[in-house]
């Protein structure tokens, strides 16, 4: 029996199971006498060396191993790589030093001698760094092994171009789970890892194990635990950056200059945006680089060692760490000069002054830096382009109060939130006082949040540190820093950003408390943010179903100066929730009338909420459309998911299910893109509601599960209520009233599982319908009447246009036979006044079912026919199928439910088909009788005929016959 040689590493390799399996397969083939070759290609830090060593360790007890690591210093020595490999032969071998002129064929022979009939594993780490002759010989030898060979080659390289043609395994960064587990191992033994610090380390490392180890190893226990601010940028990745920079010094001077300019030009751009090709062309020309070289290099990367790539008008580095490596490798003087040159060019293009063809200064590669004092004064001028100020900040060698103040003053509209965030972060780096630095990092975090980049916002917040009594802002010495305003940083800004992030992506109860605390800190000096904090706290309480918390936040708003529209909104919502409906409606109508500023999407969203509270669904849709247009036009990006969510919900209430689905799907993508899982949960609930009308049931179930999985951990009671209601409505459409009633009962009854205070009443008509159709018990009947009475009280206050019709429908379902007819007629009359195809069709369906159950079959056909048309008009396919089945049972053919060709039930009557499908789903005779408004004896009679017609003997056979 051959012992196992599973590839293992002395130190566990995280997230590399697939790669280790590939190595194990290579070694297993080698032991059987089938040699081969494999190239492990990956940028520095991804673990190719660790995999190589793991393979060597796994094979060492089974056969000889030749292991060599390239020495970059010997790259210029011919055949130095072969010397390193053959000079460390297997134990007991004493090979002579290779001749510098060894041929590839001679190398292959020498390796066969070393193998001596055993399975030989040749490992070469960083083979791309060997001299050209050694690489050529190694590539030739590696192509030779195959069936019957006893030699396998395992090479690690930075990229696969040096050994093209050989089987290559490209290593990807670790996924988030593997990186997180590795980080836990690296920080084991510390006092704990703060969640924000964890997220920042993972974000900065980008799945690179080398960076993870370097960064986490540099942080102190207090920094890891979140007790002290993190450095900016994080240190510890120097070794990985140095590895990325290998070979740069061997490039021509003009290439190194262009690479430095390209790396520096990315500093004022959003992450991943690359550099502007035209700016690089101007900078290279100003720096004295040949135009022909620039044209080639900036068009397709020719002459840049493969480091630059062109994409449209942007120039990118081939790897995300390459730009950082170039900047890290360059001497400070050259880096500073590059940033100053770019700042000058950006200033000229910003104010349209200064020709593009100014002669290059007489300095190799780059022009001299301008006078430092001149740069300081220029940078502090807010009229300069923000990008130019960022470049000047990158050129600063230390704290610079004037330059920091200039950046802070310039980081305002119309610049994008992402650009403002970058500028404020640079201003923080140039700040000397810890309190001022923390305040500017918090301001940068706020702009990153508005830009839709929560990870960056949390990263910046990690630099603020905890605010305590001993971190109060230090006074500014106006004598030493005359250009800096003597103002203190704003307390409460960091908690405010923390709270707003939690509102979109964390437990909303936490967000509520954080934002209330932040509002108290902000109120004395920053009324606008204090208002936003209180509005955020109110929104958090609303999402959590905390009516008292919502009212408390609104009452605190009354103590903060606000605009007229916001004050009407606050007073109106407070009055409605406290039962002063008439007063509240007057206030909310005034709020709706004042929401006319298309540049204030938040006010338009509040107007939409006010319109829903007033029952003016058309106005709610109009306000939602205008809010969405405002966000699309001017941002902020972070508000896009909320704008789409509000509009989708208003469209649902208006019966525009297709439009609601389209907007909710777009909102879901926006929420994922901007890192807002709470919005995702609410949008899944909206999509579940749309699918409960349009179908199919599987889509509704998937969205409901997604909504509940996000709503549960974060306390999103409103999303959970809507999602559960949607699933129950889908059960009703599919003819499963018992399941629907079981889902809805906890929402509408008193108890710990009660639904959201503002939306639970919407589910009451569905619960009443489900409970009645499933056969209510006497105790449930009392509960149903109590729920209908509560719904009647709510309908009188809510001004919902569809509520009177739904109330009459509920009363019809609970009424005696002598009273139900009149109640259904009243409900249909209310529907005619209120509109809404879907709910009106549902009432007609129930009325037709009731008539058929009373054996008034001919009368039932009219309501059922109208229900079918109504469902078809609003694309409620599942409901239309149900109406068509009822219509066929009433003796009238209907096309909506016609089965496909080859339907095994085609020979059965419509009633038999309905019974057969219910039984195939697992329903008992009693459940079928309740579902179809028949007696159990009638169901039994029809089922016997079904068995006889289909030549089957059991329910199991019937279920198998109808299975898809």
């Amino acid at each position: 029996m051959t012992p196992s040689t599973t590839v293992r590493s002395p130190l566990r390799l995280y997230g590399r199971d697939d790669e280790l399996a590939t190595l194990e397969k290579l070694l297993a083939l080698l032991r059987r006498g089938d040699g081969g070759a494999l190239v492990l290609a990956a940028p520095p830090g991804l673990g190719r060396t660790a995999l190589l060593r793991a393979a060597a360790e796994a094979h060492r007890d089974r056969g000889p191993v030749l292991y060599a690591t390239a020495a970059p210093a010997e790259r210029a020595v011919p055949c130095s790589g072969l010397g390193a490999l053959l000079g460390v032969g297997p134990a007991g071998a004493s090979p002579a030093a290779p001749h510098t002129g060894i041929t590839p064929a001679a190398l292959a022979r020498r390796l066969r001698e070393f193998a001596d009939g055993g399975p030989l594993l040749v490992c070469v780490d960083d083979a791309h760094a060997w001299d050209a002759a050694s690489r050529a010989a190694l590539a030739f030898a590696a192509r030779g092994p195959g069936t019957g060979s006893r030699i396998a080659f395992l090479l690690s390289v930075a990229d696969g171009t040096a050994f093209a043609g050989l089987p290559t395994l490209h290593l990807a960064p670790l996924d988030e789970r593997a990186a997180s587990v590795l980080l836990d191992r690296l920080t084991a033994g510390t006092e704990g890892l703060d969640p924000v610090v964890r997220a920042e380390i993972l974000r900065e490392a980008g799945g690179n194990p080398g960076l993870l180890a370097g960064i986490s190893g540099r942080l102190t226990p207090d920094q890891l635990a979140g007790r002290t601010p993190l450095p900016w940028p994080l240190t510890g990745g120097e070794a990985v950056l140095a590895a990325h920079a290998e070979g740069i010094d061997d490039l021509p001077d003009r290439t190194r200059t262009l690479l430095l300019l390209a790396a520096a030009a990315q500093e004022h751009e959003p992450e991943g945006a690359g550099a502007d090709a035209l700016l690089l062309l101007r900078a290279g020309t100003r720096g004295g680089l040949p135009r022909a070289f620039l044209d080639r290099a900036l068009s397709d990367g020719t002459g840049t060692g493969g480091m630059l790539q062109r994409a449209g008008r942007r120039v990118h580095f081939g790897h995300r760490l390459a730009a950082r490596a170039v900047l890290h490798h360059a001497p400070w003087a050259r880096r500073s000069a590059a940033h100053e040159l770019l700042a000058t060019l950006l200033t000229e293009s910003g104010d349209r002054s200064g020709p593009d063809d100014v002669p290059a200064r007489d300095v190799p590669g780059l022009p001299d830096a301008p006078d430092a004092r001149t740069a300081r004064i220029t940078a502090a001028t807010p009229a300069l382009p923000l990008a130019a100020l960022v470049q000047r900040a990158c050129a600063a060698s230390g704290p610079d109060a004037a330059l920091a103040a200039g950046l802070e003053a310039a980081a305002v509209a119309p610049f994008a939130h992402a650009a403002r965030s970058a500028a404020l972060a640079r201003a923080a780096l140039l700040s000397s006082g810890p309190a001022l630095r923390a305040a500017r990092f918090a301001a940068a975090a706020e702009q990153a949040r508005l830009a839709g980049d929560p990870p960056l916002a949390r990263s910046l917040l990690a630099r603020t540190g905890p605010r305590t009594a001993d971190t109060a802002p230090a006074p500014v010495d106006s004598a030493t820093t005359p250009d800096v305003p003597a103002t203190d940083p704003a307390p409460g800004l960091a908690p405010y950003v923390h709270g707003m992030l939690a509102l979109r992506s964390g437990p909303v109860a936490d967000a509520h408390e954080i934002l209330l605390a932040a509002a108290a800190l902000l109120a004395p000096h920053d009324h606008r943010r204090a208002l936003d904090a209180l509005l955020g706290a109110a929104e958090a309480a609303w999402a959590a179903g905390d009516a008292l918390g919502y009212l408390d936040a609104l009452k605190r708003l009354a103590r903060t100066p606000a605009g007229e529209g916001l004050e009407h909104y606050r007073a109106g919502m407070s009055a409605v929730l406290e039962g002063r409906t008439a007063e509240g409606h007057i206030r909310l109508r005034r709020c709706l009338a004042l929401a006319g500023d298309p540049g204030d999407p938040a006010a338009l969203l509040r107007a939409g909420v006010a319109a829903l509270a007033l029952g003016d669904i058309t106005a709610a849709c109009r306000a939602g459309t205008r809010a969405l247009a405002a966000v699309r036009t001017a941002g902020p990006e972070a508000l896009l998911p909320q704008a789409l969510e509000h509009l989708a919900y208003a469209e649902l209430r208006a019966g525009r299910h297709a439009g609601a689905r389209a907007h909710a799907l777009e909102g879901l993508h926006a929420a994922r893109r901007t890192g807002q899982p709470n919005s995702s949960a609410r949008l899944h609930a909206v999509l579940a509601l749309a699918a409960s009308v349009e179908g199919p049931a599987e889509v509704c179930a998937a969205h409901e599960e997604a909504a509940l999985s996000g709503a549960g951990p974060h306390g999103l009671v409103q999303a959970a209520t809507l999602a559960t209601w949607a699933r129950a409505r889908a059960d009703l459409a599919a003819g499963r009233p018992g399941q629907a009633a079981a889902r809805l009962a906890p929402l509408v009854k008193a108890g710990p599982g009660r639904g959201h205070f503002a939306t639970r009443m919407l589910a009451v008509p569905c619960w009443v319908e489900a409970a009645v159709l499933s056969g209510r018990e006497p105790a449930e009947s009392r509960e149903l009447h109590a729920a209908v009475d509560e719904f009647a009280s709510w309908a009188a206050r809510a001004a919902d246009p569809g509520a009177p019709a739904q109330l009459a429908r509920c009363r019809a379902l609970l009424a005696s036979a002598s009273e139900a007819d009149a109640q259904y007629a009243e409900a249909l009359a209310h529907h005619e006044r209120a509109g809404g195809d879907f709910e009106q069709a549902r009432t007609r369906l129930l009325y037709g079912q009731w008539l058929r159950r009373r054996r008034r079959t001919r009368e039932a056909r009219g309501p059922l026919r109208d229900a079918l048309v109504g469902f078809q008009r609003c694309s409620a396919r599942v409901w239309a199928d149900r109406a068509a089945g009822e219509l066929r049972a009433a003796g009238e053919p209907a096309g909506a439910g016609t089965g496909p060709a080859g339907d095994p039930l085609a020979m059965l009557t419509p009633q038999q088909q309905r019974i057969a499908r219910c039984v195939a789903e697992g329903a008992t005779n009693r459940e079928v009788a309740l579902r179809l408004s028949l007696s159990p004896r009638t169901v039994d009679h029809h089922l016997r005929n079904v068995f006889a017609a289909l030549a089957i003997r059991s329910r199991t056979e019937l279920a198998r016959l109808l299975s898809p």
Side-chain angles (χ1 to χ4, degrees):
M1 179 176 176
T2 302
S4 171
T5 57
T6 300
V7 176
R8 301 185 187 278
S9 172
L11 295 177
R12 180 181 172 188
L13 296 177
Y14 294 87
R16 296 300 186 200
D17 292 345
D18 292 342
E19 291 82 355
L20 290 171
T22 301
L23 296 182
E24 184 177 350
K25 183 178 179 180
L26 176 72
L27 297 183
L29 291 172
L30 175 61
R31 292 194 306 274
R32 293 204 301 262
D34 296 332
L38 181 65
V39 178
L40 299 177
L46 287 187
R48 62 175 191 258
T49 298
L51 285 168
L52 212 65
R53 289 176 178 170
E57 286 296 321
H59 184 70
R60 203 172 296 279
D61 293 337
R62 308 288 183 263
V65 176
L66 283 175
Y67 194 104
T69 301
E74 299 178 0
R75 189 169 186 173
V77 180
C79 293
S80 58
L82 296 178
L85 177 66
L86 300 178
V88 289
S94 302
H99 189 272
T100 55
I102 189 171
T103 64
L107 171 63
R109 287 195 302 272
R110 187 73 63 87
L111 293 176
R112 286 194 293 272
E113 293 172 5
F114 288 167
D116 192 23
L120 173 65
L121 178 64
V122 179
C123 297
V124 180
D125 196 11
D126 291 340
H128 61 280
W130 268 13
D131 61 279
S134 295
R135 288 201 309 272
L138 183 62
F140 177 84
R143 291 188 182 94
T147 303
S149 171
R150 304 285 284 176
I151 304 175
F153 293 83
L154 188 59
L155 318 177
S156 81
V157 297
D159 59 68
T161 57
F163 294 91
L166 292 177
T168 301
L169 177 62
H170 292 274
L171 303 185
L174 300 181
D175 60 34
E176 186 174 355
R177 180 178 178 277
S180 184
V181 174
L182 174 58
L183 182 58
D184 286 337
R185 175 188 171 278
L186 292 170
T187 56
T190 63
E191 299 177 35
L193 189 59
D194 179 78
V196 174
V197 175
R198 169 192 289 277
E200 170 57 3
I201 296 174
L202 292 173
R203 177 180 180 274
E204 184 70 14
N208 189 301
L211 281 179
L212 272 175
I215 292 171
S216 61
R218 286 287 185 87
L219 296 178
T220 67
D222 282 344
Q223 289 171 331
L224 289 171
R227 288 190 292 268
T228 56
L230 294 179
W232 179 282
L234 290 175
T235 59
E238 292 79 6
V240 174
L241 294 178
H244 271 279
E246 281 184 7
I248 289 180
D249 290 336
D250 298 333
L251 296 173
D253 183 68
R254 64 186 184 182
T255 301
R256 287 187 284 117
T257 298
L258 179 59
L259 292 176
L260 178 57
L261 288 170
Q266 294 189 14
E267 292 294 282
H268 67 269
E269 300 280 6
E271 185 174 355
D276 179 42
L278 179 59
L279 176 62
L280 289 181
L281 179 62
R282 296 174 60 224
T285 303
R286 187 75 63 92
L289 301 182
R291 180 59 184 262
F293 162 73
L294 289 172
D295 289 341
R296 292 193 304 272
L298 296 178
S299 62
D300 57 10
T302 300
T304 64
M307 296 186 70
L308 294 184
Q309 302 170 356
R310 179 73 177 266
R313 300 181 61 181
R314 314 296 296 180
V315 175
H316 300 264
F317 280 84
H319 190 273
R320 73 179 194 92
L321 293 178
R324 288 173 53 188
V326 168
L327 290 173
H328 181 267
H329 184 71
W332 168 249
R334 286 176 59 83
R335 271 179 64 184
S336 179
H339 288 302
E340 290 289 1
L341 171 61
L342 291 168
T344 300
L345 293 172
L346 288 167
T347 301
E348 292 173 357
S349 62
D351 59 14
R352 299 293 185 266
S353 62
D356 290 347
D357 56 350
V358 176
R361 306 189 184 194
D362 191 18
V363 176
L366 290 172
D368 287 328
D371 175 74
R373 179 60 184 168
T374 302
R376 264 182 65 145
I377 296 173
T378 304
T381 305
L384 290 183
L386 190 60
L389 293 175
V390 172
Q391 288 293 336
R392 292 242 192 270
C394 293
S397 58
D400 189 324
L403 184 52
L407 278 165
E408 187 175 32
V412 294
F415 293 113
H417 292 292
R420 294 185 229 176
S421 176
L424 289 165
R426 289 287 173 185
L429 290 174
L430 296 175
S431 305
S432 55
L436 185 58
R437 185 184 307 115
R440 284 170 173 163
F441 271 129
E446 180 185 25
Q447 295 301 320
R449 180 190 70 81
L450 293 171
D453 193 349
L456 177 58
R458 293 187 180 91
S459 166
L460 293 162
L461 284 175
R463 271 77 187 182
T464 63
R467 291 191 66 88
T468 59
D470 58 352
T471 61
V476 176
D477 186 352
S478 59
T480 58
T481 55
D483 297 327
V484 181
T487 57
D488 291 342
L493 180 55
Y496 165 73
V497 181
H498 272 296
M500 295 303 287
L501 289 171
L503 176 61
R504 305 299 175 207
S505 59
V508 288
D510 294 352
H512 176 73
E513 296 300 330
I514 294 171
L515 289 169
L516 287 180
L521 292 171
L522 291 166
H525 60 87
D526 193 337
H527 296 311
R528 182 187 64 80
R529 285 194 180 93
L531 283 173
D532 288 343
L534 289 173
L535 287 169
E539 182 181 346
W542 183 281
D546 181 3
L548 293 178
Y550 181 77
L551 284 170
D552 176 61
L554 292 184
K555 288 177 180 176
R556 299 189 190 206
L557 269 174
R559 300 193 291 268
T560 305
E564 185 180 1
L566 179 54
E567 174 55 25
H568 283 309
Y569 174 82
R570 182 206 66 78
M573 293 300 291
S574 297
V576 168
L577 261 66
E578 290 172 347
R580 296 176 282 114
T581 307
E583 176 188 345
H585 284 183
I586 292 172
R587 288 285 204 149
L588 291 176
R589 287 191 187 94
R590 291 174 181 170
C591 168
L592 196 57
L594 290 170
D597 184 3
D600 190 353
L604 291 169
L605 291 179
R606 288 194 295 272
V609 174
L612 287 175
L614 290 167
D616 191 344
I617 309 301
T618 301
C621 291
R622 184 167 57 249
T625 302
R626 295 177 63 200
L628 178 59
V631 173
R632 291 195 198 279
T633 303
E637 182 73 9
L639 204 56
L640 181 59
Q642 283 73 57
L644 288 161
E645 174 196 338
H646 280 238
L647 176 56
Y649 184 71
E651 287 176 324
L652 271 183
R653 296 289 300 276
R656 305 173 191 170
H657 304 105
R661 173 170 42 81
H663 284 123
L665 282 172
E666 184 186 354
L668 190 60
H669 294 312
R672 289 170 178 166
R673 185 178 66 250
T674 57
Q676 301 187 47
N678 289 355
S679 293
S680 294
R682 290 191 293 268
L683 286 158
H684 273 299
V686 171
L687 288 166
L689 284 168
S692 72
V693 174
E694 297 181 320
E698 294 79 8
V699 172
C700 178
H703 284 302
E704 183 244 9
E705 290 170 4
L708 293 181
S709 66
H714 291 173
L716 304 174
V717 175
Q718 184 183 26
T721 300
L722 294 175
T724 304
W725 174 33
R727 185 71 177 271
R729 199 159 70 176
D731 286 335
L732 274 174
R736 297 188 293 268
Q739 294 183 30
R743 294 184 198 279
L744 292 172
L747 296 184
V748 300
K749 294 180 181 179
R754 199 172 202 186
H756 190 272
F757 64 87
T759 53
R760 53 179 288 272
M761 280 291 105
L762 299 174
V764 167
C766 282
W767 180 55
V768 173
E769 176 183 343
V772 169
L773 295 182
S774 62
R776 64 192 184 279
E777 300 296 332
E780 291 178 318
S781 180
R782 289 192 295 272
E783 292 178 337
L784 289 172
H785 281 285
V788 171
D789 290 341
E790 185 182 4
F791 184 80
S793 176
W794 173 82
R797 300 191 311 271
D800 188 315
Q806 291 176 311
L807 174 61
R809 184 172 76 201
C810 290
R811 287 173 172 164
L813 285 165
L814 297 175
S816 63
S818 60
E819 297 174 346
D821 221 335
Q823 293 289 355
Y824 276 120
E826 181 184 346
L828 291 173
H830 283 303
H831 279 305
E832 289 295 334
R833 289 190 290 271
D837 287 336
F838 178 67
E839 290 298 333
Q840 185 172 15
R842 286 184 65 186
T843 300
R844 292 187 184 279
L845 173 61
L846 289 170
Y847 185 36
Q849 284 180 302
W850 181 83
L851 289 170
R852 193 176 64 79
R853 187 178 60 187
R854 311 306 298 174
R855 301 190 182 278
R856 296 161 61 180
T857 307
R858 187 179 299 276
E859 294 177 67
R861 293 173 188 167
L864 292 174
R865 195 181 301 115
D866 291 341
L868 174 60
V869 172
F871 287 137
Q872 289 174 335
R873 191 158 45 229
C874 57
S875 301
R877 290 178 286 274
V878 180
W879 292 87
D881 288 343
R882 182 179 163 193
E886 288 288 341
L887 192 55
R888 285 194 300 273
E892 180 173 320
T898 302
D903 186 347
L905 304 184
M907 66 181 68
L908 305 180
T909 67
Q911 190 74 290
Q912 289 173 343
Q913 290 182 14
R914 300 174 72 213
I915 291 173
R917 288 195 169 92
C918 291
V919 171
E921 292 174 1
T924 66
N925 283 8
R926 176 174 171 77
E927 290 170 339
V928 175
L930 288 171
R931 187 182 301 184
L932 302 183
S933 302
L934 301 171
S935 69
R937 180 175 295 182
T938 301
V939 172
D940 181 70
H941 171 75
H942 281 300
L943 191 57
R944 290 176 185 274
N945 292 334
V946 167
F947 285 175
L950 299 179
I952 59 177
R953 296 184 177 182
S954 68
R955 294 169 180 265
T956 303
E957 288 184 71
L958 178 60
R960 189 181 301 118
L961 180 67
L962 297 184
S963 61

